[in-house]
Amino acid sequence: MATIQQDRDALERLIDKSSNIVFFGGAGVSTESGIPDFRSKDGLYHQKYLYDPEIILSHAFFEKYPAEFYRFYRDKMLVLDKKPNPCHYYLAELEKKGKLKAIVTQNIDGLHQMAGSKNVLELHGSIHRNHCLSCYHFFDAGFVKNAPDIVPHCPYCGGIIKPDVVLYGEQIDDRSVVFTAKALLDADLLIICGTSLQVYPAATLLKLYNKKDIVYINSDPKSTYDRASLVIHHKAGVLFGGMKA
Ligand code: APR
Ligand code: ZN
């Protein structure tokens, strides 16, 4: 197995020769910021709840049991005290240098934007965008966090406020898909990081990238991606923390 410095050198050689990089990330990008992922052994989907978390995070469940949904959501997803880690900051620097054209993330935590990244395509939405289901009024995450009732209600019309996060059974926002497709078609380097690629259509969108160089970064030594030209088994924050954009 290559040392972390050998991996960094190999990654930097690919980044140096690329001018149109797309970074495709998942929950593993934020675990070093203190946000658990879903499918690792200590991830959300392995923790015991009354209902299966993938049931709780579904449109049907939200409609039927909004209080139960919000109990889980407030406990596990509405995290406002977490900070970006070196992976987020490295990517923001790479974007400033004009080499990173887009971050496509499955995360809803907003940490890429907090680190300074501008072009972030949030395939699964964001905890920072919330709307009243009746009058469509916008509310930020702080309003939802501080609402007096477990299910936040709109002060203008009394309607239920729902986070703009894509629940199971809901469509991914068309614009994010179109912009992701365009970014992948234009890219000359694809970096896939911190995702198990279990969820569609996120994983299928990657097939639109048809150039040679693909980097797959995952801290699980058993996790790999057969299309990758470089596989790195290190934690994203540690890996990028030792690199200069
Ligand atoms: N550095 C690199 N990889 C990491 C790190 C880290 N610090 N921490 C965890 N990982 C890896 C894990 O080994 C795992 O393979 O990141 C991956 C995270 O996979 P998942 O938990 O399945 O998360 P993700 O792929 O983002 O899930 C996609 O599934 O349930 C839905 O909407 C949810 O957006 C989520 C989607
Ligand atoms: Zn309203």
Side-chain angles (χ1 to χ4, degrees):
M1 178 163 149
T3 65
I4 192 164
Q5 197 46 51
Q6 286 167 331
D7 279 336
R8 286 185 184 124
D9 296 346
L11 179 53
E12 276 173 346
R13 279 194 292 276
L14 287 174
I15 289 172
D16 288 349
K17 69 178 180 123
S18 305
S19 57
N20 189 323
I21 301 171
V22 167
F23 179 91
F24 186 95
V29 171
S30 294
T31 50
E32 290 161 88
S33 295
I35 302 175
D37 66 14
F38 295 92
R39 296 174 182 83
S40 286
K41 59 182 177 349
D42 49 0
L44 272 186
Y45 292 164
H46 295 290
Q47 296 172 22
K48 285 290 144 251
Y49 293 96
L50 205 56
Y51 300 93
D52 185 83
E54 289 182 286
I55 302 283
I56 298 174
L57 295 173
S58 68
H59 181 83
F61 192 92
F62 176 88
E63 295 250 304
K64 205 158 174 208
Y65 308 111
E68 268 313 302
F69 168 87
Y70 263 109
R71 220 180 304 288
F72 181 88
Y73 177 78
R74 284 176 186 284
D75 188 24
K76 298 290 174 191
M77 321 292 282
L78 189 53
V79 282
L80 302 181
D81 58 347
K82 306 300 181 201
K83 298 277 172 276
N85 65 55
C87 175
H88 298 102
Y89 286 116
Y90 175 88
L91 296 171
E93 279 311 303
L94 203 59
E95 182 186 60
K96 275 193 201 108
K97 291 188 73 170
K99 289 177 88 73
L100 179 67
K101 299 299 181 197
I103 290 175
V104 181
T105 184
Q106 299 168 93
N107 298 347
I108 59 175
D109 55 36
L111 292 184
H112 285 296
Q113 294 91 329
M114 208 185 283
S117 290
K118 301 280 179 263
N119 193 21
V120 182
L121 297 166
E122 295 169 304
L123 285 182
H124 295 164
S126 170
I127 59 173
H128 297 283
R129 294 191 298 275
N130 306 270
H131 284 88
C132 168
L133 293 176
S134 308
C135 71
Y136 207 61
H137 206 97
F138 171 85
F139 298 93
D140 66 12
F143 181 90
V144 172
K145 187 106 181 152
N146 302 318
D149 307 327
I150 184 126
V151 177
H153 285 82
C154 172
Y156 303 98
C157 77
I160 289 183
I161 295 171
K162 179 179 176 297
D164 289 12
V165 296
V166 180
L167 301 178
Y168 281 102
E170 292 180 344
Q171 280 299 324
I172 287 188
D173 169 51
D174 290 344
R175 278 162 312 162
S176 313
V177 174
V178 168
F179 291 144
T180 297
K182 177 152 177 14
L184 289 169
L185 288 166
D186 294 346
D188 61 11
L189 175 63
L190 171 60
I191 301 176
I192 302 169
C193 181
T195 174
S196 63
L197 293 177
Q198 303 282 311
V199 173
Y200 290 78
T204 27
L205 281 170
L206 290 180
K207 292 206 177 83
L208 291 170
Y209 175 80
N210 55 17
K211 310 293 188 320
K212 184 173 72 57
D213 291 324
I214 298 181
V215 182
Y216 181 78
I217 302 167
N218 196 302
S219 55
D220 175 358
K222 293 185 298 308
S223 178
T224 190
Y225 182 61
D226 54 8
R227 292 178 64 206
S229 45
L230 173 62
V231 176
I232 295 178
H233 287 137
H234 289 292
K235 289 187 164 194
V238 174
L239 177 76
F240 287 106
M243 292 171 62
K244 188 96 191 69

